[in-house]
Amino acid sequence: MNYGGLEKLRANIAALSNEMCDIRTQLNHLESEYNYDADTLGERLAGQTLRRINMLFLEAYREVLVLDETFQD
């Protein structure tokens, strides 16, 4: 264990990582539902925006995963 005295921090990072995983799953679902060949312009625009959000979110999620991995039990 490498986080003696930082148990609260460890728990908070783990919780954040789990919540971000759930959001990533939701973003992936929405992105697949609203894609580039959707019937309406609104759906296509939503798909384009969701792809961009998903890409940016993935970058932040990877950072949290790296931080989470630094804690060793």
Side-chain angles (χ1 to χ4, degrees):
M1 184 165 109
N2 68 347
Y3 55 90
L6 299 173
E7 289 78 10
K8 183 178 178 184
L9 174 62
R10 169 66 175 123
N12 286 338
I13 296 301
L16 177 62
S17 177
N18 289 334
E19 290 169 14
M20 289 182 80
C21 180
D22 293 342
I23 292 170
R24 176 99 167 105
T25 300
Q26 184 179 11
L27 279 169
N28 285 335
H29 172 75
L30 288 170
E31 187 179 334
S32 69
E33 187 173 340
Y34 302 103
N35 53 42
Y36 66 92
D37 63 350
D39 293 336
T40 67
L41 177 61
E43 290 173 318
R44 290 192 299 267
L45 289 173
Q48 181 179 14
T49 302
L50 287 165
R51 276 189 300 284
R52 176 90 173 119
I53 291 168
N54 203 359
M55 182 183 70
L56 294 169
F57 188 80
L58 178 58
E59 190 175 325
Y61 179 47
R62 285 180 177 155
E63 292 289 325
V64 167
L65 289 176
V66 168
L67 181 58
D68 191 38
E69 287 290 320
T70 62
F71 294 103
Q72 299 171 0
D73 293 321

